[in-house]
Amino acid sequence: METNENLTEKLNFIGLDLKNIPDKFNLFQPIDFGIHKNYNEKNYKVYKYVDINDIEIFLTPTHRLADYTEKYAKALPIGAYLNVDTEEDIERNLLFLNLIRKLNLEEIEILEEQQKALNKSIPYTVKFNKDYIWQVHYSQTSKKYFMLIPIKESELAELFYVIKKQIKGKEEKIFVPICYSEYSNTFLNTSEIEELEKFLCFFAKDWPSIYEVYDKQDNMSIQILGKATIYDTIKSEYKIELKTQGEAEDYYKLLKVLFILETQLSHHYKFNIKLDEKGTIHFYYGEDKIDNSKLIDFIKREYLQGLEKTIKAKEVKINLDKKLRKLKKLSKNLDQEYFEKEKQISTFLECKKTFFGKVKYFIKYKKKSIQTTNTNITEKDEPTNKLKYCERTEIKEVYTLEELLTLYTKLDQETNAIKDLELDIEAINKRINMLQTKIKNATLYIKEIDDHKKSIFEFWKFTNKDEAKQLNEGIIEVHTNRKLKKAFNFDLDFEDLSKQMDKEQRTVFTKEETDSIFIATTNVLNDINCIIHKEKISEEHLLKLKEEMQENEKNTAFDIFGSIDSSNEQVKTLGNIKHRENAKNKFSILNLKGKTTLKEYTNKIRNIADDIQASIKKFKSDIEIPIYKVGNIEDGLNVFYINPESALKDAKSKEVNLYKIMLKENTNCIALTNIMYYNNNNQTLPLGMHISDGILINTEKLNLKLKNKDENYIIKTIEASPKIETLKINIFEYEIC
């Protein structure tokens, strides 16, 4: 319970004398203020350094999240809560005194320290912890700053902080967000800023926050902060600071050009982003860095390359069109030839049915010889060599984005026309091959008939046979179906994949094998690799392991039941599912004791290594998935991770190597599922990979080939600080040959 002595102490700390109210709190002018109807109070857009003596203080008997119209309508200047002239004044004064009684002076001291730090430098993230409590507004009409403090809130230290500073009267600035303040449209207008958000979200895969920030000299800058997907699923914070109107306009223009190119010509352009050590985003097209200074040259270069591609495409189209016309003519001739032969064969089959028909056919076709069409037709007025298309174009100094888009639209039209011609040629070639086969069979059939037309008696004998020689079959086209491979998506597929792997591994591996695999997830993995490579284990390793065991025994009560279920066993939660299983203990599996010799330990590790190598042969991945590791790829057993963020947790320095292997389908491996970390004596262990998303592989059994190298940065911010933590990652991508 607060006493009058405590109230006096707090009033003295603030410097407020209730018998001598400063004139500043009694003299005020009405402030006209309105807000945009679609403004979101939770998203501050403007941060400023504001002179604390320029802020008018208004109190409103509401909560902070109450409707602004209600808060504004009920607001009164602070003087109305300090004076006791009327009965209403007394009630408000008592309410104000009650606020002072509840005040925690340490909170004001924390605010003072916070503002001292903010006066030295603006945080990297601009916003800071509990920035929402300041409730500072600016009226464009009245040209005044004011605080609108909802006194039903529990956090009111900022109110008394401002009162304390204003009573002292010392010139001092505070760094605060300005509530309900729209963008000034000085550098970019609101629609351009909204487009900038859309462009950055497209490239970074996350929506950014854009602030207008004013320094102590009231110089404005646009500061953009967000998270960017820099490699696969790895995200990093980034910041873009635009200090002048020219910088802002140039950056907006750059992003708009790249956005239009990638969205309208997505099959031609794909821009990648990289961060530098300061967290600034840079754009790359292949290996080339694209910025505003290179934009005009980039568009010109792409236009000239596109022009060359268009000319070649037109040349290809002309030659394909010529080839198609020749093939159509050949097909027409073959159709006519086949029709004639088909007609002759039909006549023969009809005539052989009667005596007079046989005589008639013998006389009619006696002197006719078999004719075949020449399939290698060369047109007289068309050269046999390929045509070359020539187009005269005057090269300009600069090209616009519109010209580039128009050119590539034409190129796409030419490319589509080429694809159509290629499909037509493929179809007509199939028809020609079919006709040629039919004509060949028909020719052989007619030749068989002609070979028996030497005399009427021989022909009569041939036509009276029960079975005439039949036509050969045509070409049968066999279609080969390609198996479609599912592309792995960590966010969508990991949960199902982990459950499937865990379920299968519980049936494939014995408990002894899962115990051995668990040891490979610990710091004993190096000793296992030593045994695999037939190297000696260091005595120092064993001593360190014993020290670790002793330290562990000090902090863990002895469990006489071991892994056996007991009535005192606690219910645990894994993946939001309750179970009653015990976690595995590496010292128990290793059977490690204080008197264990190096020879005994080595034999145990040898057995474990044998178990693991045998186990890897039992399990294969069902899907092609990327796996990652930080550090170095050791010869032998390695633990990789399905989620690259998990691999980066092992980063111990400011620069690391990140290795990526595309693990092919049906590759031998072991998934570090729940069964590797827990016993399952009670059969209550949930399926999945809730402890680790690790994959154990033996790199010596894989033929790895370096496919690509790259580098990037990951930025982590420090709360309310201008400093950042920077991690450089050197990326090495391998494929299994």
Side-chain angles (χ1 to χ4, degrees):
M1 181 177 179
E2 292 287 344
T3 63
N4 288 333
E5 289 78 7
N6 287 334
L7 178 61
T8 303
E9 179 189 352
K10 291 178 180 179
L11 287 171
N12 291 336
F13 178 83
I14 298 168
L16 180 60
D17 185 358
L18 296 176
K19 295 180 181 179
N20 186 19
I21 306 300
D23 293 338
K24 178 177 179 61
F25 297 146
N26 290 320
L27 299 175
F28 74 95
Q29 294 179 351
I31 295 178
D32 186 14
F33 184 72
I35 62 172
H36 194 278
K37 62 180 181 179
N38 295 324
Y39 192 93
N40 185 354
E41 184 183 358
K42 296 180 180 179
N43 297 330
Y44 299 115
K45 298 179 180 179
V46 179
Y47 282 75
K48 283 187 175 183
Y49 282 100
V50 180
D51 193 324
I52 203 164
N53 295 301
D54 292 340
I55 301 174
E56 299 281 355
I57 302 175
F58 289 83
L59 307 182
T60 179
T62 62
H63 290 94
R64 184 175 61 86
L65 297 179
D67 183 75
Y68 187 83
T69 305
E70 179 188 357
K71 290 194 292 185
Y72 186 73
K74 294 181 178 181
L76 290 173
I78 189 173
Y81 285 81
L82 297 176
N83 294 307
V84 289
D85 298 334
T86 66
E87 187 174 338
E88 290 182 351
D89 289 344
I90 294 173
E91 290 180 4
R92 287 191 291 266
N93 184 256
L94 291 173
L95 180 60
F96 184 78
L97 292 176
N98 191 43
L99 296 177
I100 297 177
R101 286 190 176 94
K102 296 178 181 178
L103 177 63
N104 186 347
L105 298 182
E106 291 182 359
E107 293 179 0
I108 296 180
E109 293 174 345
I110 292 171
L111 287 178
E112 287 179 332
E113 292 299 320
Q114 184 188 64
Q115 284 299 324
K116 281 182 183 178
L118 292 173
N119 259 278
K120 293 178 182 178
S121 57
I122 297 172
Y124 183 89
T125 55
V126 179
K127 61 182 181 180
F128 52 91
N129 187 35
K130 293 186 177 181
D131 56 357
Y132 59 88
I133 67 175
W134 290 95
Q135 295 296 299
V136 176
H137 304 68
Y138 181 73
S139 170
Q140 291 286 352
T141 306
S142 304
K143 305 298 181 185
K144 284 184 175 293
Y145 291 98
F146 65 96
M147 292 181 77
L148 188 59
I149 301 299
I151 58 177
K152 287 188 177 181
E153 290 291 317
S154 59
E155 295 180 293
L156 294 173
E158 78 289 351
L159 166 64
F160 295 101
Y161 171 83
V162 173
I163 291 174
K164 179 183 178 182
K165 295 296 182 181
Q166 288 189 350
I167 290 172
K168 287 185 177 180
K170 184 180 177 181
E171 186 176 332
E172 187 174 338
K173 290 189 174 183
I174 56 173
F175 183 74
V176 290
I178 309 302
C179 296
Y180 298 106
S181 185
E182 294 288 347
Y183 296 120
S184 65
N185 296 331
T186 303
F187 290 176
L188 299 172
N189 60 44
T190 303
S191 63
E192 289 173 331
I193 290 177
E194 289 174 352
E195 282 192 305
L196 202 57
E197 290 175 333
K198 179 178 70 174
F199 300 155
L200 281 167
C201 180
F202 177 80
F203 290 111
K205 313 305 180 190
D206 205 358
W207 200 264
S209 297
I210 300 182
Y211 307 105
E212 283 188 349
V213 181
Y214 295 79
D215 62 16
K216 291 181 181 178
Q217 289 73 41
D218 212 31
N219 297 317
M220 192 195 83
S221 65
I222 291 179
Q223 299 193 21
I224 308 169
L225 293 108
K227 285 191 174 182
T229 303
I230 60 165
Y231 180 71
D232 289 353
T233 59
I234 300 176
K235 291 182 178 290
S236 170
E237 297 179 64
Y238 70 87
K239 180 177 181 178
I240 300 159
E241 189 171 359
L242 308 172
K243 296 182 178 180
T244 66
Q245 183 175 357
E247 284 184 13
E249 290 175 346
D250 287 346
Y251 196 74
Y252 167 77
K253 181 171 64 176
L254 172 66
L255 261 67
K256 188 169 186 177
V257 168
L258 301 185
F259 177 80
I260 291 173
L261 285 175
E262 188 162 333
T263 52
Q264 296 193 22
L265 301 174
S266 57
H267 50 295
H268 290 291
Y269 292 100
K270 171 64 178 176
F271 298 100
N272 299 315
I273 60 173
K274 289 185 181 181
L275 304 187
D276 60 19
E277 60 273 15
K278 295 181 180 179
T280 303
I281 288 182
H282 299 283
F283 295 90
Y284 286 79
Y285 180 59
E287 298 295 325
D288 298 329
K289 181 180 176 182
I290 308 297
D291 55 33
N292 195 71
S293 63
K294 301 176 181 178
L295 197 55
I296 293 176
D297 292 337
F298 173 74
I299 292 176
K300 180 179 180 180
R301 184 187 69 199
E302 292 301 308
Y303 184 90
L304 295 178
Q305 290 181 358
L307 185 62
E308 183 179 350
K309 291 176 183 177
T310 304
I311 292 172
K312 289 182 178 179
K314 287 181 177 179
E315 176 185 327
V316 171
K317 188 180 78 170
I318 290 173
N319 285 294
L320 287 175
D321 188 60
K322 174 194 172 185
K323 182 178 181 180
L324 181 61
R325 284 188 278 111
K326 291 175 66 176
L327 291 172
K328 282 182 177 179
K329 185 174 181 180
L330 175 59
S331 178
K332 183 178 179 182
N333 293 338
L334 291 173
D335 273 329
Q336 182 63 34
E337 181 181 354
Y338 182 69
F339 174 75
E340 293 294 333
K341 294 184 182 299
E342 186 181 39
K343 181 180 177 182
Q344 183 177 348
I345 293 171
S346 299
T347 303
F348 169 75
L349 295 174
E350 186 65 30
C351 291
K352 66 177 286 189
K353 295 178 182 178
T354 64
F355 171 78
F356 293 105
K358 295 175 183 178
V359 174
K360 181 180 178 182
Y361 179 86
F362 180 82
I363 296 171
K364 182 177 181 180
Y365 290 98
K366 183 177 180 181
K367 296 182 179 180
K368 288 190 176 182
S369 59
I370 301 170
Q371 295 181 351
T372 58
T373 302
N374 182 13
T375 57
N376 299 318
I377 294 180
T378 303
E379 298 184 34
K380 294 180 180 179
D381 35 339
E382 289 187 359
T384 55
N385 60 324
K386 290 187 177 181
L387 294 176
K388 291 187 177 180
Y389 177 81
C390 182
E391 183 178 277
R392 291 180 176 272
T393 304
E394 183 180 351
I395 305 301
K396 299 196 300 184
E397 287 296 321
V398 293
Y399 290 92
T400 64
L401 179 62
E402 181 183 8
E403 290 175 311
L404 183 61
L405 292 174
T406 303
L407 176 66
Y408 272 90
T409 301
K410 291 180 180 178
L411 176 59
D412 289 342
Q413 291 173 352
E414 296 293 333
T415 304
N416 291 334
I418 288 172
K419 290 179 180 177
D420 291 340
L421 286 170
E422 287 174 341
L423 290 173
D424 290 342
I425 289 172
E426 183 181 358
I428 203 166
N429 271 326
K430 288 181 179 179
R431 176 167 176 77
I432 288 172
N433 290 336
M434 179 188 68
L435 287 170
Q436 287 175 336
T437 303
K438 286 184 175 182
I439 290 171
K440 179 182 177 182
N441 292 339
T443 302
L444 292 173
Y445 191 64
I446 293 172
K447 184 177 183 299
E448 179 72 15
I449 298 170
D450 290 345
D451 288 344
H452 294 84
K453 289 197 300 181
K454 297 177 181 179
S455 68
I456 187 65
F457 298 105
E458 186 180 353
F459 184 70
W460 181 273
K461 184 179 179 181
F462 171 72
T463 55
N464 281 337
K465 286 183 179 180
D466 293 334
E467 293 183 4
K469 189 174 181 180
Q470 300 297 311
L471 290 173
N472 294 327
E473 293 183 356
I475 298 173
I476 299 175
E477 187 174 354
V478 179
H479 296 278
T480 57
N481 295 323
R482 290 185 178 181
K483 183 181 178 182
L484 295 177
K485 290 185 178 180
K486 181 181 178 182
F488 177 76
N489 182 295
F490 182 83
D491 294 328
L492 299 177
D493 302 326
F494 176 71
E495 183 176 357
D496 291 338
L497 178 66
S498 64
K499 288 181 179 179
Q500 175 189 336
M501 285 179 164
D502 199 12
K503 183 178 181 180
E504 185 177 347
Q505 290 188 153
R506 293 185 190 191
T507 60
V508 171
F509 299 138
T510 64
K511 183 183 183 305
E512 289 73 21
E513 288 173 332
T514 60
D515 287 347
S516 296
I517 294 167
F518 168 72
I519 297 300
T521 69
T522 69
N523 55 357
V524 184
L525 180 60
N526 290 333
D527 292 342
I528 297 173
N529 278 326
C530 283
I531 294 299
I532 291 175
H533 297 131
K534 298 181 179 180
E535 298 173 357
K536 291 184 178 180
I537 298 175
S538 169
E539 181 81 37
E540 185 181 354
H541 289 185
L542 178 58
L543 292 175
K544 286 183 178 180
L545 201 60
K546 288 181 179 180
E547 290 174 3
E548 184 186 348
M549 179 185 66
Q550 293 171 358
E551 188 66 28
N552 184 68
E553 288 175 348
K554 289 179 183 178
N555 302 322
T556 306
F558 176 71
D559 183 7
I560 196 171
F561 292 99
S563 62
I564 300 174
D565 184 24
S566 67
S567 58
N568 296 324
E569 193 169 9
Q570 295 181 354
V571 175
K572 307 172 187 69
T573 302
L574 198 61
N576 296 323
I577 301 175
K578 293 181 179 180
H579 69 94
R580 294 180 289 107
E581 308 300 341
N582 291 324
K584 294 184 178 180
N585 185 302
K586 69 177 179 181
F587 304 111
S588 175
I589 295 171
L590 291 170
N591 196 23
L592 192 66
K593 299 176 183 177
K595 296 181 180 180
T596 300
T597 64
L598 181 61
K599 183 178 180 181
E600 291 171 337
Y601 176 69
T602 300
N603 290 335
K604 183 63 178 179
I605 296 299
R606 184 175 290 108
N607 293 334
I608 289 173
D610 292 341
D611 281 347
I612 295 172
Q613 292 184 95
S615 299
I616 286 183
K617 297 177 182 179
K618 292 183 179 182
F619 186 79
K620 294 182 178 180
S621 59
D622 292 334
I623 187 175
E624 185 175 84
I625 53 174
I627 55 175
Y628 308 83
K629 183 184 179 183
V630 161
N632 294 306
I633 300 180
E634 305 292 340
D635 290 335
L637 298 175
N638 286 261
V639 175
F640 281 72
Y641 296 91
I642 300 175
N643 184 1
E645 296 281 359
S646 301
L648 288 170
K649 290 179 181 177
D650 295 334
K652 304 298 182 183
S653 61
K654 294 184 178 180
E655 181 174 355
V656 297
N657 295 335
L658 176 66
Y659 297 93
K660 173 184 177 180
I661 294 177
M662 186 57 70
L663 196 66
K664 290 185 177 180
E665 186 179 353
N666 294 322
T667 302
N668 290 109
C669 64
I670 296 174
L672 301 181
T673 59
N674 293 345
I675 194 61
M676 306 303 172
Y677 294 91
Y678 279 87
N679 298 301
N680 195 23
N681 297 316
N682 302 311
Q683 300 297 310
T684 62
L685 186 66
L687 289 170
M689 298 176 72
H690 299 103
I691 310 300
S692 170
D693 58 313
I695 298 290
L696 183 66
I697 61 173
N698 189 345
T699 54
E700 289 182 336
K701 302 296 182 180
L702 304 176
N703 184 11
L704 298 178
K705 179 181 179 183
L706 183 62
K707 182 181 178 183
N708 188 36
K709 291 171 61 176
D710 203 353
E711 64 180 41
N712 217 319
Y713 287 88
I714 296 176
I715 306 299
K716 292 184 180 179
T717 58
I718 302 173
E719 186 176 350
S721 170
K723 297 180 180 179
I724 55 175
E725 294 179 355
T726 304
L727 175 65
K728 182 180 180 182
I729 54 173
N730 302 310
I731 302 166
F732 300 87
E733 295 182 355
Y734 286 85
E735 62 180 356
I736 300 175
C737 300

